[in-house]
Amino acid sequence: MLTNFFVHPFRSIFLITGNGFNTSTAFLKVYSLYICFRKKYDMSKRKKINFCRKPLQWAILLLLVYLLVRPFFDKQYISDFEAYCPFGGMQAFATFLANNTLACSMTLLQIAMGIALIAGTILVSKMFCSFICPIGFFTEFLGKWGKKLKMQYTFSGIPDRLLRSLKYILFFLTFYFTMTTSELFCKKYDPYYAVFSGFSVDVMVWYALAALFVTIAGSFFIHQFWCKYVCPLGAVANTFSFTLVFIIITGLYFLYNIVFQLHWSIYLAAIAISAYTIELLKMKTGFFPLFRVTRNPDKCTQCKICDKTCPMAIPVSSLTTVNHIDCHLCTDCVTQCPEKGALLINKRKLTFLPPLVVVILIVAALIFASITEIPTVNIRWGEPDQQKKSNVFIQEGLSSIKCFGSATSFIEQMKNVKGVTGVAAFVKSHSAKIYFDPKLTSPFAIRKAIFTPVITFISEPEKSKNTVTIAEIGIYNFLDANDELLFYEKLKQQGAFYGFETEFGEPIKIRIFFDNGKITPDMIVDIIEKEEIKLKIDGQELIEKTHFKVAQGEVRIADISKSVFYQRMFTPVDDTFNNFDSFSPEQLAVVEIVLPELLIPAMQDKLLYLESHLSGNDGIVRLQTQLNYDKPLLRIHYVIAKVQAKEVYKLLSDKKITVYYKKGKTEVMDNPFDIPLHK
Ligand code: SF4
Ligand code: SF4
């Protein structure tokens, strides 16, 4: 009858109710069938969904899928799979504390997430592992299949204890290399980052493949292999669970450093070794975290469902308070326990608490990160007295400050500016706080030092043109190399601009060379002030925002001859090589030829190839270009004792030249210059 009910439900109802349809009788009969079905399949024993956990885990997974898919529909969007990573944030924070620098691409958002994780671990439990971590979600799923197929093994005793050291070793190495290089070392092997970023350039393929193999195979065959034995974030979380020990070691380190100097790597090693030792000996948390699963032995029937349910294989049924180091308060055991009140959190119905705390901490971290910013690099120099008397001003619009590397370069540039005593560079807002001695310099002088005047060639005037028009204008919000690049793109994409020169001033002075038959002064203003520019980078189209503003006033226009234009675009070169400095002027001679092609900026760029070819002869030691009125000269200096002039001419006129690259690589190519063989 039961089978019939599912195969022919309507016919069954007809049979149950007889020929006439009596609602109450029908309901009773259907209900008795349901009871029968429930008994047969024992629905009460089916797994209940942990509504406190699963929705959060699926939400994270959906977020990752969204990040993965969005770039296919939104070409402007670049997914950042590390944007919310608390582990990256912790490394960045540690780097910041040790060196006053932030790991590249790290912002306050990740740091805030890292701090939220630490706070959550100390107060509640290792909730990141149970509710957020995508690797934990995946390895738990794999583990379930390993268990179902009866292919899973649980380590215990000495192998279990020894393997637990792996995560502390990885924790130490990851922090050590990140803090010494200011680059996130975890990116090199993190299986999550490798997969979602499509093995991006930051990933060391072999490290990541090994980690991926360990994650997949380990989790399938060995119970929670990744979480228990390998995950460095698990090691960090455990370290903070042993809060008292962490505080004591940190306190001792700071006390010792008042008198002596102890490198932070010793402190890091002490933390890792102590945490591992405590885990090894106790396998329990201490006073923290404040919340734990508690079992009421009076209500517990010893059905052991909790033991089978626990993803970390903790013997819950034998404990009254679950303070096992592996417990991450996922509350699966509480959800599955069939006896009401047998498993609780801190003896109360607080199952909702861990996910609630997770959500509150994440929201708090997001809000905190959106309203504050810490510098990517913050360095002060000069005498302490000078430091005290320093003034500070904020320079915004430094769009070339994009990461740790560019922030550091900017600071190196500032170190050469007289009177500057320190810089805090901010990647997120592309700005810098510049400290300076007001007796020696001023914000105006510093802005002048930041600015590098450029002469940029865009395209050649048409052959039929004898003149080129120049417009001289003042422009605001044009400060660094990135602005120069965006400005160049703006003009280049219009197709009738030939080049531009910049000169410092407030506003910046720019002279633009263009075809007056195609472009008018009004058009120039519109082109410059347009707020968006499309760029093509690695085949991808990106839209960049620009904020250039043309200063009020006249746009000055003049015409110049084409040859004068070429002369203005000419950039002299003077390169020395092959131990030039070791020779006296008397030991050297010069070959000089007129090379008209050098007036064309594109050909000036190709001079590097010819220079490389010449440097293959160790008797040639210097290459110069000069303008002699409107004639460009190429001057090659050679050592009389090593090479003869005719050999230099021969090398210059070679149809095929050899270009030498780094690491011993060479390339043979056509000589871009057609230089006749001089006798
Ligand atoms: S705590 Fe609950 S699930 Fe665990 S053994 Fe007791 S009754 Fe069973
Ligand atoms: S003991 Fe309970 S809360 Fe802790 S990890 Fe196991 S199932 Fe999750």
Side-chain angles (χ1 to χ4, degrees), residues 1 3 18 20 62 86 91 104 117 126 155 157 233 256 346 404 407 428 449 470 539 541 579 586 589 667:
M1 190 177 185
T3 322
L62 284 177
Q91 292 166 67
C104 198
L117 185 144
K126 297 186 282 182
F155 280 132
L233 183 55
Y256 191 87
N346 283 15
F404 172 76
K428 192 172 146 198
I470 312 180
E541 217 171 64
N579 298 322
E586 297 75 42
E667 184 191 349

Side-chain angles (χ1 to χ4, degrees), residues 293 309-312 314 316 322 326-334:
V293 172
T309 305
C310 177
M312 303 308 288
I314 297 168
V316 183
V322 182
D326 290 338
C327 177
H328 46 45
L329 213 63
C330 68
T331 66
D332 276 2
C333 54
V334 182

